[in-house]
Amino acid sequence: MIFFELVWDTQQNWTGLFAHQAQHAADALSEACHTYELHGLPCMLLDETAAPQPSPLIALIRDEHGIALPQGGHLYFNVQHTADLNQLNANDAVCGPWFTEASSHRSTSNPSRPVLLEVLSLIVSDAEIAQLETALAKAPQLMLNLLRLVNSVGMGSATPARSIRQAITLLGRRQLQRWLQLLIYAEQYGDSGKPALLIAAALRGKRMAQWAEHGWLGNTPADEAFLCGMLSLLDRLFGEPLQQLLAPLPLDENLRAALIDGDGVLGAALAQLGALEAGDAQHALLSPLLAKQQAWVNSEIQAIAWVHRLVRESL
């Protein structure tokens, strides 16, 4: 039963992924990577025989110090904190939940924070386009990033979007709302720091949306699942309690209960996300997901490829 963790270098750059328990499914894994265009993001697996693996898979072996990497250094698991990366050698790499840690760029570092929360409230309430335009006018960098993103995601239009209305025409309202949710994370960082928390939020949102589309979250719509994943890290972005940040947002009560108390199917899904990020394959809640076998592998690779493409091409 394969599950995946993101691989990072010690400079907080996302450099690949590691497939646990994948030794006997290399061909199927390679096919999934090619199907969902996992280009430029190698997938590593442990193979003590060091047998050649089909592209883009990379076989790793153990030495006396641990799991050795091809470029030198070693791969370390269950890394909890950003500060732990400073204790490693330059050629080492890590897995673990460190990238979901609270941002060091607190709310006081960004004067546009009230506007970001206003935009988020409008997104959640499915506000009129005119209201979004008015709010985004107060955050010109967010508007600029949004239009740059829309024009770079390969919509195939000969005419670039220069306004929110044109962006909606190109993307559709629901897709545009997803981009805005993620750009709130990018805006809080500005031009400083690594976008690790943005990647974490994007992957949480996309994973949950995929699960909803497969029917693994009951009757939860994909948009609501994506929003749940994205909102689940809002406290770590702004450095304030999640209950306080969510209070002014017009959320469905089931969604609010999932985020604050871990209740319901969405609350269980958030616990599953935490277990995946920590590499905890023994977590009881993961068994139903991992048992889905090829459908699970395809869903995971598709979500990871979507986030990687978003980061590589757009942000």
Side-chain angles (χ1 to χ4, degrees), residues 45-95:
L45 56 90
L46 182 63
D47 188 340
E48 302 290 5
T49 68
Q53 298 293 340
S55 174
L57 306 187
I58 298 175
L60 304 182
I61 60 173
R62 295 182 189 273
D63 63 17
E64 64 272 23
H65 301 294
I67 298 180
L69 296 169
Q71 72 274 20
H74 292 83
L75 178 60
Y76 293 92
F77 295 93
N78 198 32
V79 175
Q80 298 287 326
H81 305 293
T82 305
D84 295 337
L85 276 63
N86 298 329
Q87 310 303 315
L88 302 176
N89 295 321
N91 289 330
D92 291 334
V94 302
C95 294

Side-chain angles (χ1 to χ4, degrees), residues 214-260:
H214 281 287
W216 300 341
L217 298 180
N219 296 322
T220 304
D223 287 329
E224 182 177 338
F226 186 93
L227 179 64
C228 183
M230 192 281 298
L231 289 177
S232 67
L233 294 174
L234 208 62
D235 56 335
R236 304 179 200 183
L237 178 68
F238 288 119
E240 297 180 17
L242 192 58
Q243 185 170 1
Q244 178 178 324
L245 289 166
L246 297 181
L249 301 184
L251 297 177
D252 176 85
E253 287 307 310
N254 289 331
L255 177 55
R256 191 182 301 276
L259 288 162
I260 295 175

Side-chain angles (χ1 to χ4, degrees), residues 301-313:
I301 293 295
Q302 187 174 358
I304 291 167
W306 182 86
V307 175
H308 184 243
R309 189 163 55 248
L310 171 74
V311 174
R312 186 182 72 244
E313 298 178 358

Side-chain angles (χ1 to χ4, degrees), residues 10 36 47-48 59 66 72 102 106 108 116 126 161 163 177 222 251 261:
T10 56
Y36 296 108
D47 188 340
E48 302 290 5
R106 296 299 190 184
T108 54
L116 302 183
D126 202 21
S163 70
Q177 287 176 337
L251 297 177
D261 301 317

